[in-house]
Amino acid sequence: MMNSKYYQITAIIEKDEFGYYAYCPQLQGCQTQGDSLAEIQSNILEAIELYLSTLSEEEKKLLLQKEVSMINLGVQVA
């Protein structure tokens, strides 16, 4: 039986004229694209799982202790 662990990862999803793009600030180079929101969510989950599977436990620990926060700000510009 495989020993698995649960990780909480932040993924940023952006929409543009070509579709969707997603990346993980905690995991440098972990990124993907897709045509729909459902596809990009599936793609980024797969990319994260694949990325983490290549790391040692020590590498995972170092990367995943990095704190990432998201905030939406309203800015008024004259």
Side-chain angles (χ1 to χ4, degrees):
M1 184 172 171
M2 185 179 207
N3 185 13
S4 63
K5 293 186 178 182
Y6 177 83
Y7 298 100
Q8 192 73 29
I9 305 291
T10 299
I12 308 297
I13 298 174
E14 300 175 3
K15 183 174 183 349
D16 62 21
E17 67 271 18
F18 304 109
Y20 293 86
Y21 168 74
Y23 64 97
C24 299
Q26 293 161 291
L27 308 175
Q28 185 177 11
C30 185
Q31 56 193 351
T32 189
Q33 61 187 32
D35 294 326
S36 68
L37 192 54
E39 181 180 12
I40 196 66
Q41 289 173 335
S42 175
N43 289 354
I44 195 62
L45 182 59
E46 180 180 6
I48 292 167
E49 290 170 344
L50 191 60
Y51 190 105
L52 291 176
S53 74
T54 68
L55 303 177
S56 69
E57 287 303 314
E58 186 62 29
E59 290 171 318
K60 289 176 196 172
K61 184 179 176 182
L62 288 172
L63 281 174
L64 299 176
Q65 63 182 248
K66 187 186 317 180
E67 186 175 329
V68 176
S69 299
M70 294 184 352
I71 184 171
N72 288 317
L73 300 171
V75 179
Q76 185 173 350
V77 179

Coordinates of all heavy atoms in Angstrom, one line a residue:
M1 N 0.8 -1.2 0.0 CA 0.0 0.0 0.0 C 0.9 1.3 0.0 O 1.9 1.3 0.7 CB -0.9 0.0 1.2 CG -1.9 1.1 1.3 SD -3.0 0.9 2.6 CE -3.8 2.4 2.6
M2 N 0.5 2.2 -0.8 CA 1.3 3.4 -1.0 C 1.1 4.4 0.2 O -0.1 4.6 0.6 CB 0.9 4.1 -2.3 CG 1.7 5.3 -2.6 SD 1.1 5.9 -4.2 CE 2.6 6.7 -4.8
N3 N 2.1 5.0 0.8 CA 2.0 5.9 1.8 C 1.8 7.3 1.2 O 2.6 7.8 0.6 CB 3.3 5.9 2.7 CG 3.2 6.8 3.9 OD1 2.1 7.3 4.3 ND2 4.3 7.1 4.5
S4 N 0.6 7.9 1.5 CA 0.3 9.2 0.9 C 0.1 10.2 1.9 O -0.2 9.9 3.1 CB -1.0 9.1 0.0 OG -2.1 8.8 0.8
K5 N 0.4 11.5 1.5 CA 0.2 12.6 2.4 C -0.7 13.7 1.8 O -0.7 13.8 0.5 CB 1.6 13.2 2.8 CG 2.4 12.3 3.6 CD 3.7 13.0 4.1 CE 4.5 12.0 5.0 NZ 5.7 12.6 5.5
Y6 N -1.3 14.5 2.6 CA -2.2 15.5 2.1 C -1.4 16.9 2.2 O -0.9 17.2 3.3 CB -3.5 15.6 2.9 CG -4.4 16.7 2.5 CD1 -5.3 16.6 1.5 CD2 -4.4 17.9 3.3 CE1 -6.1 17.6 1.1 CE2 -5.2 18.9 2.9 CZ -6.1 18.8 1.9 OH -6.9 19.8 1.5
Y7 N -1.4 17.7 1.2 CA -0.8 19.0 1.2 C -1.8 20.0 0.7 O -2.6 19.8 -0.1 CB 0.4 19.0 0.2 CG 1.5 18.0 0.5 CD1 1.6 16.8 -0.2 CD2 2.4 18.3 1.5 CE1 2.6 15.9 0.1 CE2 3.4 17.4 1.8 CZ 3.5 16.2 1.1 OH 4.5 15.3 1.4
Q8 N -1.6 21.2 1.3 CA -2.5 22.4 1.0 C -1.6 23.3 0.1 O -0.6 23.8 0.5 CB -2.9 23.1 2.2 CG -4.0 24.1 2.0 CD -5.3 23.5 1.7 OE1 -5.7 22.4 2.1 NE2 -6.1 24.2 0.9
I9 N -2.0 23.4 -1.2 CA -1.2 24.2 -2.2 C -2.1 25.3 -2.7 O -3.2 25.1 -3.0 CB -0.8 23.3 -3.3 CG1 0.0 22.0 -2.9 CG2 0.0 24.0 -4.4 CD1 1.3 22.3 -2.3
T10 N -1.5 26.5 -2.9 CA -2.2 27.6 -3.5 C -1.9 27.6 -5.0 O -0.8 27.4 -5.5 CB -1.6 28.9 -3.0 OG1 -1.8 29.0 -1.6 CG2 -2.3 30.1 -3.6
A11 N -3.0 27.6 -5.8 CA -2.9 27.7 -7.2 C -3.6 29.0 -7.7 O -4.7 29.4 -7.2 CB -3.6 26.5 -7.9
I12 N -3.0 29.7 -8.6 CA -3.5 31.0 -9.1 C -4.0 30.6 -10.5 O -3.3 30.0 -11.3 CB -2.4 32.1 -9.2 CG1 -1.7 32.3 -7.9 CG2 -3.0 33.4 -9.8 CD1 -2.6 32.7 -6.8
I13 N -5.3 31.0 -10.8 CA -5.9 30.8 -12.1 C -6.2 32.1 -12.8 O -6.9 33.0 -12.1 CB -7.1 29.9 -12.0 CG1 -6.8 28.5 -11.5 CG2 -7.8 29.8 -13.4 CD1 -8.0 27.6 -11.2
E14 N -5.7 32.3 -14.0 CA -6.0 33.6 -14.7 C -6.7 33.2 -16.0 O -6.4 32.2 -16.6 CB -4.7 34.3 -15.0 CG -3.9 34.7 -13.8 CD -2.6 35.3 -14.1 OE1 -2.2 35.5 -15.3 OE2 -1.8 35.6 -13.1
K15 N -7.6 34.1 -16.4 CA -8.3 33.9 -17.7 C -7.9 35.0 -18.6 O -7.8 36.2 -18.2 CB -9.8 33.9 -17.5 CG -10.6 33.7 -18.8 CD -12.1 33.6 -18.6 CE -12.9 33.3 -19.8 NZ -12.4 33.3 -21.1
D16 N -7.6 34.6 -19.9 CA -7.3 35.6 -20.9 C -8.0 35.2 -22.2 O -8.8 34.3 -22.2 CB -5.8 35.8 -21.1 CG -5.1 34.5 -21.5 OD1 -5.7 33.6 -22.1 OD2 -3.8 34.5 -21.3
E17 N -7.6 35.9 -23.3 CA -8.3 35.6 -24.6 C -8.0 34.2 -25.1 O -8.7 33.8 -26.0 CB -7.9 36.7 -25.6 CG -6.5 36.7 -26.0 CD -5.6 37.6 -25.2 OE1 -5.9 37.9 -24.0 OE2 -4.5 37.9 -25.7
F18 N -7.0 33.5 -24.6 CA -6.7 32.2 -25.1 C -7.2 31.1 -24.3 O -7.1 29.9 -24.6 CB -5.1 32.1 -25.2 CG -4.5 33.2 -26.0 CD1 -3.7 34.1 -25.4 CD2 -4.6 33.2 -27.4 CE1 -3.1 35.1 -26.1 CE2 -4.0 34.2 -28.1 CZ -3.3 35.1 -27.5
G19 N -7.8 31.4 -23.1 CA -8.3 30.4 -22.2 C -7.9 30.6 -20.8 O -7.9 31.8 -20.3
Y20 N -7.4 29.6 -20.1 CA -7.0 29.7 -18.7 C -5.6 29.3 -18.5 O -5.1 28.4 -19.2 CB -7.9 28.8 -17.8 CG -9.3 29.3 -17.7 CD1 -10.3 28.9 -18.7 CD2 -9.8 30.1 -16.7 CE1 -11.6 29.3 -18.6 CE2 -11.1 30.6 -16.7 CZ -12.0 30.2 -17.6 OH -13.3 30.6 -17.5
Y21 N -4.9 29.9 -17.6 CA -3.6 29.6 -17.2 C -3.5 29.5 -15.7 O -4.1 30.3 -15.0 CB -2.7 30.8 -17.7 CG -1.3 30.8 -17.1 CD1 -0.3 29.8 -17.6 CD2 -0.9 31.6 -16.1 CE1 1.0 29.8 -17.1 CE2 0.4 31.6 -15.6 CZ 1.3 30.7 -16.1 OH 2.6 30.6 -15.6
A22 N -2.8 28.5 -15.2 CA -2.7 28.3 -13.7 C -1.2 28.0 -13.4 O -0.5 27.4 -14.1 CB -3.6 27.2 -13.3
Y23 N -0.9 28.5 -12.2 CA 0.5 28.2 -11.7 C 0.4 28.2 -10.1 O -0.6 28.7 -9.5 CB 1.5 29.3 -12.1 CG 1.2 30.7 -11.7 CD1 1.8 31.2 -10.5 CD2 0.3 31.5 -12.3 CE1 1.5 32.5 -10.1 CE2 0.0 32.8 -11.9 CZ 0.6 33.3 -10.8 OH 0.4 34.5 -10.3
C24 N 1.5 27.7 -9.5 CA 1.6 27.6 -8.1 C 2.8 28.3 -7.6 O 3.9 28.0 -7.9 CB 1.7 26.1 -7.7 SG 0.3 25.1 -8.2
P25 N 2.6 29.4 -6.8 CA 3.7 30.2 -6.4 C 4.7 29.4 -5.5 O 5.9 29.7 -5.5 CB 3.0 31.3 -5.5 CG 1.6 31.4 -6.0 CD 1.3 30.0 -6.5
Q26 N 4.2 28.4 -4.8 CA 5.1 27.6 -3.9 C 5.9 26.7 -4.7 O 7.0 26.2 -4.2 CB 4.2 26.8 -2.9 CG 3.5 27.6 -1.9 CD 2.3 26.9 -1.3 OE1 1.4 26.6 -2.0 NE2 2.5 26.5 0.0
L27 N 5.5 26.3 -5.9 CA 6.2 25.3 -6.7 C 6.7 25.9 -8.0 O 6.0 25.9 -9.0 CB 5.3 24.1 -7.0 CG 4.5 23.5 -5.8 CD1 3.6 22.5 -6.2 CD2 5.6 23.0 -4.8
Q28 N 7.9 26.5 -8.0 CA 8.4 27.2 -9.1 C 8.4 26.3 -10.4 O 8.9 25.2 -10.4 CB 9.9 27.6 -8.9 CG 10.5 28.5 -9.9 CD 11.9 28.9 -9.6 OE1 12.5 28.5 -8.6 NE2 12.3 29.9 -10.4
G29 N 7.8 26.8 -11.5 CA 7.7 26.1 -12.7 C 6.5 25.2 -12.8 O 6.3 24.6 -13.9
C30 N 5.7 25.1 -11.8 CA 4.5 24.2 -11.8 C 3.4 25.1 -12.4 O 2.8 26.0 -11.8 CB 4.1 23.7 -10.5 SG 2.7 22.6 -10.5
Q31 N 3.1 24.8 -13.7 CA 2.1 25.6 -14.4 C 1.4 24.8 -15.5 O 1.9 23.8 -15.9 CB 2.7 26.8 -15.0 CG 3.9 26.5 -15.9 CD 4.7 27.7 -16.3 OE1 4.4 28.8 -16.0 NE2 5.9 27.5 -16.9
T32 N 0.3 25.3 -16.0 CA -0.5 24.6 -17.0 C -1.5 25.5 -17.6 O -1.6 26.7 -17.2 CB -1.2 23.3 -16.5 OG1 -1.7 22.6 -17.5 CG2 -2.3 23.7 -15.5
Q33 N -2.1 25.1 -18.7 CA -3.2 25.9 -19.3 C -4.3 25.0 -19.7 O -4.2 23.8 -19.6 CB -2.6 26.6 -20.6 CG -2.1 25.6 -21.6 CD -1.4 26.4 -22.7 OE1 -0.8 27.4 -22.5 NE2 -1.5 25.8 -23.9
G34 N -5.5 25.6 -20.0 CA -6.7 24.8 -20.4 C -7.7 25.7 -21.0 O -7.6 27.0 -21.0
D35 N -8.7 25.1 -21.7 CA -9.7 25.9 -22.4 C -10.9 26.3 -21.5 O -11.6 27.2 -21.8 CB -10.2 25.0 -23.6 CG -9.2 24.8 -24.6 OD1 -8.3 25.8 -24.8 OD2 -9.1 23.8 -25.3
S36 N -11.1 25.6 -20.4 CA -12.3 25.8 -19.5 C -11.8 25.8 -18.1 O -10.7 25.3 -17.7 CB -13.4 24.8 -19.7 OG -12.9 23.5 -19.2
L37 N -12.6 26.3 -17.2 CA -12.3 26.3 -15.8 C -12.2 24.9 -15.2 O -11.3 24.6 -14.5 CB -13.4 27.1 -15.0 CG -13.0 27.5 -13.6 CD1 -11.7 28.2 -13.4 CD2 -14.1 28.3 -13.0
A38 N -13.1 24.0 -15.7 CA -13.0 22.6 -15.2 C -11.7 22.0 -15.7 O -11.1 21.2 -15.0 CB -14.2 21.9 -15.8
E39 N -11.3 22.3 -16.9 CA -10.1 21.7 -17.5 C -8.9 22.2 -16.8 O -8.0 21.4 -16.4 CB -10.0 21.9 -19.0 CG -8.8 21.3 -19.6 CD -8.6 21.6 -21.1 OE1 -9.3 22.5 -21.6 OE2 -7.8 21.0 -21.7
I40 N -8.8 23.5 -16.5 CA -7.7 24.0 -15.8 C -7.5 23.5 -14.4 O -6.4 23.3 -13.9 CB -7.6 25.6 -15.9 CG1 -6.2 26.1 -15.6 CG2 -8.6 26.2 -14.9 CD1 -5.2 25.8 -16.5
Q41 N -8.7 23.3 -13.7 CA -8.6 22.8 -12.4 C -8.1 21.4 -12.4 O -7.2 21.0 -11.5 CB -10.0 22.8 -11.7 CG -10.4 24.3 -11.4 CD -11.8 24.4 -10.9 OE1 -12.7 23.5 -11.2 NE2 -12.1 25.4 -10.1
S42 N -8.5 20.6 -13.3 CA -8.0 19.2 -13.4 C -6.5 19.2 -13.8 O -5.7 18.4 -13.3 CB -8.8 18.5 -14.5 OG -8.3 17.2 -14.7
N43 N -6.2 20.1 -14.8 CA -4.8 20.1 -15.2 C -3.8 20.6 -14.1 O -2.7 20.0 -14.0 CB -4.7 21.1 -16.4 CG -5.3 20.5 -17.7 OD1 -5.7 19.4 -17.7 ND2 -5.4 21.3 -18.7
I44 N -4.2 21.6 -13.3 CA -3.3 22.1 -12.3 C -3.1 21.0 -11.2 O -2.1 20.9 -10.6 CB -3.6 23.5 -11.8 CG1 -2.5 24.1 -11.0 CG2 -4.9 23.5 -10.9 CD1 -1.2 24.3 -11.8
L45 N -4.2 20.3 -10.9 CA -4.1 19.3 -9.9 C -3.2 18.2 -10.3 O -2.3 17.7 -9.5 CB -5.5 18.7 -9.6 CG -5.6 17.6 -8.5 CD1 -5.1 18.1 -7.2 CD2 -7.0 17.1 -8.4
E46 N -3.3 17.8 -11.6 CA -2.4 16.8 -12.1 C -0.9 17.3 -12.1 O 0.0 16.6 -11.7 CB -2.8 16.4 -13.5 CG -1.9 15.4 -14.2 CD -2.4 15.0 -15.6 OE1 -3.3 15.7 -16.1 OE2 -1.8 14.1 -16.2
A47 N -0.7 18.6 -12.5 CA 0.6 19.1 -12.5 C 1.2 19.2 -11.1 O 2.4 18.9 -10.9 CB 0.6 20.5 -13.1
I48 N 0.4 19.5 -10.1 CA 0.9 19.6 -8.7 C 1.3 18.2 -8.2 O 2.4 18.0 -7.7 CB -0.2 20.2 -7.8 CG1 -0.4 21.7 -8.1 CG2 0.2 20.0 -6.3 CD1 -1.6 22.3 -7.4
E49 N 0.4 17.2 -8.5 CA 0.7 15.8 -8.1 C 2.0 15.3 -8.7 O 2.8 14.7 -8.0 CB -0.5 14.9 -8.4 CG -1.7 15.2 -7.5 CD -3.0 14.5 -8.0 OE1 -3.0 14.0 -9.1 OE2 -3.9 14.4 -7.2
L50 N 2.1 15.6 -10.0 CA 3.3 15.2 -10.7 C 4.6 15.9 -10.2 O 5.6 15.2 -9.9 CB 3.2 15.4 -12.2 CG 4.2 14.8 -13.1 CD1 4.2 13.3 -13.0 CD2 3.9 15.2 -14.6
Y51 N 4.5 17.2 -10.0 CA 5.6 17.9 -9.4 C 6.0 17.4 -8.1 O 7.2 17.2 -7.8 CB 5.2 19.4 -9.3 CG 6.3 20.4 -9.0 CD1 6.8 21.2 -10.0 CD2 6.8 20.5 -7.7 CE1 7.8 22.1 -9.7 CE2 7.8 21.4 -7.4 CZ 8.3 22.2 -8.4 OH 9.3 23.2 -8.1
L52 N 5.1 17.2 -7.2 CA 5.4 16.8 -5.8 C 6.0 15.3 -5.8 O 6.8 15.0 -5.0 CB 4.2 16.8 -4.9 CG 3.7 18.2 -4.5 CD1 2.4 18.2 -3.7 CD2 4.8 19.0 -3.8
S53 N 5.6 14.5 -6.8 CA 6.0 13.1 -6.8 C 7.5 13.1 -7.2 O 8.2 12.0 -6.9 CB 5.2 12.3 -7.8 OG 5.5 12.7 -9.1
T54 N 8.1 14.2 -7.7 CA 9.5 14.2 -8.1 C 10.4 14.7 -7.0 O 11.6 14.6 -7.1 CB 9.8 15.1 -9.3 OG1 9.5 16.4 -9.0 CG2 8.9 14.7 -10.5
L55 N 9.8 15.1 -5.9 CA 10.6 15.7 -4.8 C 10.8 14.7 -3.6 O 10.0 13.9 -3.4 CB 9.9 16.9 -4.2 CG 9.5 18.1 -5.2 CD1 8.8 19.1 -4.4 CD2 10.8 18.6 -5.8
S56 N 11.9 14.9 -2.9 CA 12.2 14.2 -1.7 C 11.3 14.7 -0.6 O 10.8 15.9 -0.7 CB 13.6 14.3 -1.3 OG 13.9 15.6 -0.9
E57 N 11.2 14.0 0.5 CA 10.4 14.5 1.6 C 11.0 15.8 2.2 O 10.2 16.7 2.5 CB 10.3 13.5 2.8 CG 9.4 12.3 2.4 CD 8.0 12.7 2.1 OE1 7.4 13.6 2.8 OE2 7.4 12.2 1.1
E58 N 12.3 15.9 2.2 CA 13.0 17.2 2.7 C 12.7 18.4 1.7 O 12.4 19.5 2.2 CB 14.5 17.0 2.8 CG 15.2 18.1 3.4 CD 14.8 18.5 4.8 OE1 14.4 17.5 5.6 OE2 14.9 19.6 5.2
E59 N 12.7 18.1 0.4 CA 12.4 19.2 -0.6 C 10.9 19.6 -0.4 O 10.6 20.8 -0.5 CB 12.6 18.7 -2.0 CG 14.1 18.5 -2.3 CD 14.3 17.8 -3.6 OE1 13.6 16.8 -3.9 OE2 15.2 18.3 -4.4
K60 N 10.0 18.7 -0.2 CA 8.6 19.0 0.0 C 8.4 19.9 1.2 O 7.7 20.9 1.2 CB 7.8 17.8 0.1 CG 7.6 17.0 -1.2 CD 6.8 15.7 -0.9 CE 6.9 14.8 -2.1 NZ 6.4 13.4 -1.8
K61 N 9.1 19.5 2.3 CA 9.0 20.2 3.6 C 9.5 21.6 3.4 O 8.8 22.6 3.8 CB 9.8 19.5 4.6 CG 9.7 20.1 6.0 CD 10.5 19.3 7.0 CE 10.5 20.0 8.4 NZ 11.3 19.3 9.3
L62 N 10.6 21.8 2.7 CA 11.1 23.2 2.5 C 10.2 24.1 1.6 O 10.0 25.2 1.9 CB 12.5 23.1 1.9 CG 13.6 22.6 2.8 CD1 14.9 22.4 2.0 CD2 13.9 23.6 3.9
L63 N 9.7 23.5 0.6 CA 8.9 24.2 -0.4 C 7.5 24.6 0.3 O 7.0 25.7 0.1 CB 8.6 23.5 -1.6 CG 9.8 23.5 -2.7 CD1 9.4 22.5 -3.8 CD2 10.0 24.9 -3.2
L64 N 7.0 23.6 1.0 CA 5.6 23.8 1.4 C 5.5 24.6 2.7 O 4.4 24.9 3.2 CB 4.9 22.4 1.5 CG 4.8 21.7 0.2 CD1 4.3 20.3 0.4 CD2 4.0 22.5 -0.8
Q65 N 6.6 24.9 3.4 CA 6.5 25.8 4.5 C 6.5 27.3 4.1 O 6.3 28.1 5.0 CB 7.6 25.5 5.5 CG 9.0 25.7 5.0 CD 10.1 25.4 6.0 OE1 10.7 26.2 6.6 NE2 10.3 24.1 6.3
K66 N 6.7 27.5 2.9 CA 6.7 28.9 2.4 C 5.2 29.4 2.4 O 4.3 28.7 2.0 CB 7.1 28.9 0.9 CG 7.3 30.3 0.3 CD 7.6 30.4 -1.1 CE 8.6 29.4 -1.6 NZ 8.8 29.5 -3.1
E67 N 5.0 30.5 3.1 CA 3.6 31.1 3.3 C 3.3 31.9 2.0 O 4.0 32.8 1.6 CB 3.5 31.9 4.5 CG 2.1 32.4 4.8 CD 2.0 33.1 6.1 OE1 2.8 32.9 7.0 OE2 1.2 34.0 6.2
V68 N 2.1 31.5 1.5 CA 1.6 32.3 0.3 C 0.2 32.8 0.7 O -0.7 32.0 1.1 CB 1.5 31.3 -0.9 CG1 0.9 32.1 -2.1 CG2 2.9 30.8 -1.3
S69 N -0.1 34.0 0.5 CA -1.4 34.6 0.7 C -1.9 35.3 -0.5 O -1.1 35.8 -1.3 CB -1.3 35.6 1.9 OG -0.8 35.0 3.1
M70 N -3.2 35.4 -0.6 CA -3.8 36.1 -1.7 C -4.7 37.2 -1.1 O -5.4 36.9 -0.1 CB -4.6 35.1 -2.6 CG -3.8 34.1 -3.3 SD -4.7 33.0 -4.4 CE -6.4 33.3 -4.2
I71 N -4.7 38.3 -1.7 CA -5.6 39.4 -1.3 C -6.1 40.2 -2.5 O -5.4 40.4 -3.5 CB -4.8 40.3 -0.3 CG1 -5.7 41.4 0.3 CG2 -3.6 40.9 -1.0 CD1 -5.0 42.2 1.4
N72 N -7.4 40.6 -2.4 CA -7.9 41.4 -3.5 C -8.0 42.8 -2.9 O -8.5 43.0 -1.8 CB -9.4 40.9 -3.8 CG -9.3 39.6 -4.6 OD1 -8.5 39.5 -5.5 ND2 -10.2 38.7 -4.3
L73 N -7.5 43.7 -3.7 CA -7.5 45.1 -3.3 C -8.3 46.0 -4.2 O -8.1 45.8 -5.4 CB -6.0 45.7 -3.2 CG -5.1 44.9 -2.2 CD1 -3.7 45.4 -2.4 CD2 -5.5 45.2 -0.8
G74 N -9.0 46.9 -3.7 CA -9.7 47.9 -4.5 C -8.8 49.2 -4.6 O -8.4 49.7 -3.6
V75 N -8.5 49.6 -5.8 CA -7.7 50.8 -5.9 C -8.4 51.8 -6.8 O -8.9 51.5 -7.8 CB -6.4 50.4 -6.6 CG1 -5.5 51.6 -6.8 CG2 -5.7 49.3 -5.9
Q76 N -8.4 53.1 -6.3 CA -9.0 54.2 -7.0 C -7.9 54.9 -7.7 O -6.9 55.3 -7.1 CB -9.8 55.1 -6.1 CG -10.5 56.2 -6.8 CD -11.4 57.0 -5.9 OE1 -11.6 56.6 -4.7 NE2 -12.0 58.0 -6.3
V77 N -8.1 55.1 -9.0 CA -7.1 55.8 -9.8 C -7.7 57.0 -10.5 O -8.8 56.9 -11.1 CB -6.5 54.9 -10.9 CG1 -5.5 55.7 -11.7 CG2 -5.9 53.7 -10.3
A78 N -7.1 58.2 -10.3 CA -7.7 59.4 -10.9 C -7.4 59.5 -12.4 O -6.5 59.0 -12.9 CB -7.0 60.6 -10.2

